[in-house]
Amino acid sequence: MTVIPKPEPGDVGYNDPITRELDPGQQLVVTFEPRQRITEFVLPFLAMSKHPDSSYEVWMDGQRVYGPSPIPPTDIDDMVPTFIPAKRFESRLTVYCRNLSDTTTRTYTVQPIGWEVSGE
């Protein structure tokens, strides 16, 4: 599948996965911010570990764009485009993973893949 839009020459790729273990009832809050000072971030892929008894939620620039949902936008093992067309944000992507189990510790990975627009 072709992801639209495609990055332009000079755009800066982003793929920065984070993995954490969550005990029963714990929540993971991960915030991703563009590395360039002034930019627009294009996010076609947002993958997370898929577990039963979990909740997933995504916010971009203070607006909820996904969830809360019992399934992630896409599983890290599937790696298919999540948002068509790709979502865009300027300052902050915040992801919430909640382990709703009463008994099971789980490992969650959050992997945003996209690019920062160079503005050139």
Side-chain angles (χ1 to χ4, degrees):
M1 171 180 271
T2 301
V3 179
I4 299 174
K6 293 181 180 182
E8 296 292 330
D11 289 350
V12 179
Y14 189 90
N15 182 352
D16 191 15
I18 187 168
T19 300
R20 297 288 184 270
E21 191 172 273
L22 296 181
D23 289 328
Q26 281 191 319
Q27 170 179 272
L28 170 65
V29 180
V30 183
T31 300
F32 299 92
E33 296 176 338
R35 294 180 179 146
Q36 299 183 63
R37 186 169 170 210
I38 298 173
T39 190
E40 179 179 45
F41 195 99
V42 181
L43 186 73
F45 298 90
L46 180 57
M48 299 178 214
S49 301
K50 183 178 178 182
H51 295 291
D53 298 320
S54 295
S55 177
Y56 305 88
E57 192 170 347
V58 179
W59 291 68
M60 293 179 183
D61 292 335
Q63 300 290 320
R64 184 174 44 216
V65 297
Y66 185 86
S69 175
I71 60 171
T74 193
D75 190 312
I76 58 172
D77 295 328
D78 296 336
M79 201 53 69
V80 296
T82 306
F83 304 113
I84 301 172
K87 294 283 188 188
R88 296 171 179 264
F89 66 94
E90 293 180 3
S91 64
R92 182 169 292 130
L93 165 69
T94 305
V95 176
Y96 299 86
C97 296
R98 297 172 181 93
N99 182 357
L100 303 177
S101 172
D102 293 331
T103 59
T104 305
T105 298
R106 296 190 172 107
T107 301
Y108 291 82
T109 296
V110 177
Q111 186 176 15
I113 300 174
W115 61 90
E116 296 179 57
V117 177
S118 68
E120 295 177 3

